[in-house]
Amino acid sequence: MSETNKEKSSLPIYLGILIISLILAGVVSFFASPLPDGLERVAIEHKFKERAQENKLAPIPDYSFPATDTEFLKNGLAGVSGTILVFAFASGSLWIFKKIKSD
Amino acid sequence: MHIPDGFISPAVNIGSAFLSFSLLGYGLRKLSLKLEEKTIPLFGVIAAFLFSAQMLNFPVAAGTSGHFLGAFFAGVVLGPFNGFLVISLVLAIQCLGFGDGGISVLGTNMVNMGFFAGIVPLFLFNLSLNYFKAGKKSFLVMAAFFAWFSVVFSSLMVAVELWISGVIPLKIGVVAMGSSHLLIGAGEAVITFFALSGLFNVRPDLVKLWEAYYERNK
């Protein structure tokens, strides 16, 4: 590891990855393929898809944000809220974990 | 590859829940020994990247789509067990928040995507790095290959679990899951290659497996 890298702040790269993720989840994902994925396709072709039970507890089912009727917003808000939630949970829980461990 | 409730038998789900909790516990313990405060946000942004990239289904042949999985990528950047922690958190939030993957099957999904598509191929990747004395370029190419392998291998393990659960005969499941995931794995390889080379361009020191490899061979 070179010294110059060690001294560089990591903030720009962290922000960069976060912003890319927000754009992917909030905007680009609207244009994602609606086709069934590999496992779903196999389940349809081999007739065991009907065994699947819907997971009804989820507040944002199927990546579709409930509080709006616009498809683009339904998808985008689900993506953005999920990305922020995942970021907050991952860094928040580790931060608390670190605090507990160092006490 | 997120399995919904109802496909997998309770015996398989209980077994894999046990395995995934053990791996989570081991990962956290290992992490607690040397977690630096300044690397915590890296865990957060890699997790966020996995969540967002997993929303981007791309079409593959025959009316099927696939998406980036990223467990292997996360492990290359953060280390194999840290990668397992990150993909597990993403899976838990997808399951509880977005109804993607069943609740009773969460442990099985963690084992499939975190262990079979993460820890196992990462171990093989590390082994082969030492055989080939890799520079940055061959590191990237080998990472792309094992990213492909991670998707194909875990899809085959899903076929095995479906077979044990009495849902589909083994041969049929292996052929069906394997054939579609040969192509989905190619997408995984391409995305892993470009995401890693992007990181290499700005901050190679953030790629943990590369740093570890570099230190070993100095």
Side-chain angles (χ1 to χ4, degrees):
Chain A
M1 194 187 294
S2 65
E3 286 305 309
T4 47
N5 271 340
K6 237 178 196 169
E7 284 149 20
K8 252 192 249 169
S9 161
S10 297
L11 192 65
I13 177 87
Y14 293 163
L15 269 179
I17 298 174
L18 194 58
I19 289 167
I20 290 171
S21 304
L22 286 169
I23 294 169
L24 292 179
V27 182
V28 182
S29 70
F30 182 69
F31 304 97
S33 165
L35 294 169
D37 75 3
L39 172 65
E40 228 181 324
R41 162 63 60 194
V42 173
I44 295 167
E45 261 169 33
H46 296 277
K47 313 222 161 23
F48 61 90
K49 178 134 193 355
E50 67 280 358
R51 288 180 188 233
Q53 292 148 18
E54 210 182 323
N55 170 350
K56 292 199 184 73
L57 288 173
I60 311 178
D62 273 330
Y63 300 88
S64 176
F65 202 80
T68 165
D69 288 327
T70 322
E71 282 306 317
F72 181 78
L73 286 180
K74 271 183 165 315
N75 176 78
L77 288 173
V80 167
S81 54
T83 304
I84 294 173
L85 204 64
V86 165
F87 170 75
F89 257 95
S91 14
S93 58
L94 284 182
W95 189 75
I96 293 167
F97 182 68
K98 176 86 188 159
K99 288 281 160 219
I100 294 169
K101 280 282 163 188
S102 56
D103 279 346
Chain B
M1 212 184 288
H2 295 59
I3 305 173
D5 284 321
F7 283 7
I8 300 294
S9 70
V12 174
N13 281 337
I14 291 167
S16 48
F18 182 76
L19 177 59
S20 62
F21 277 118
S22 313
L23 290 169
L24 286 174
Y26 178 74
L28 280 173
R29 226 189 75 148
K30 202 161 179 281
L31 180 62
S32 72
L33 300 175
K34 50 179 176 185
L35 175 64
E36 290 174 66
E37 203 148 324
K38 64 178 201 297
T39 60
I40 288 177
L42 184 62
F43 283 73
V45 296
I46 295 294
F49 176 68
L50 293 200
F51 178 87
S52 63
Q54 287 203 0
M55 287 181 75
L56 308 179
N57 284 63
F58 49 83
V60 293
T64 308
S65 75
H67 61 71
F68 182 58
L69 212 158
F72 180 81
F73 168 75
V76 172
V77 178
L78 300 168
F81 287 94
N82 293 338
F84 185 84
L85 295 176
V86 162
I87 183 76
S88 295
L89 178 88
V90 171
L91 290 170
I93 290 182
Q94 287 171 330
C95 161
L96 299 172
F98 298 84
D100 194 7
I103 292 174
S104 69
V105 79
L106 182 58
T108 305
N109 279 328
M110 284 178 182
V111 168
N112 289 335
M113 289 181 260
F115 183 68
F116 294 133
I119 292 172
V120 172
L122 285 159
F123 174 77
L124 296 174
F125 175 56
N126 250 335
L127 271 185
S128 32
L129 275 180
N130 291 327
Y131 267 104
F132 289 101
K133 295 278 168 249
K136 262 185 197 167
K137 255 187 201 145
S138 37
F139 182 93
L140 283 176
V141 172
M142 276 159 64
F145 169 77
F146 280 103
W148 172 82
F149 170 81
S150 76
V151 169
V152 176
F153 178 60
S154 57
S155 79
L156 296 179
M157 295 317 284
V158 171
V160 171
E161 289 155 8
L162 291 169
W163 169 63
I164 297 174
S165 304
V167 168
I168 189 170
L170 183 60
K171 229 177 175 177
I172 295 175
V174 161
V175 171
M177 285 299 285
S179 58
S180 56
H181 286 86
L182 288 177
L183 293 167
I184 298 171
E188 187 81 12
V190 170
I191 298 168
T192 304
F193 182 90
F194 283 107
L196 280 178
S197 52
L199 266 180
F200 265 164
N201 279 336
V202 282
R203 290 288 300 274
D205 59 301
L206 291 181
V207 181
K208 188 160 177 183
L209 288 197
W210 168 256
E211 275 298 300
Y213 172 76
Y214 187 79
E215 291 293 317
R216 282 202 300 275
N217 291 287
K218 240 187 342 205

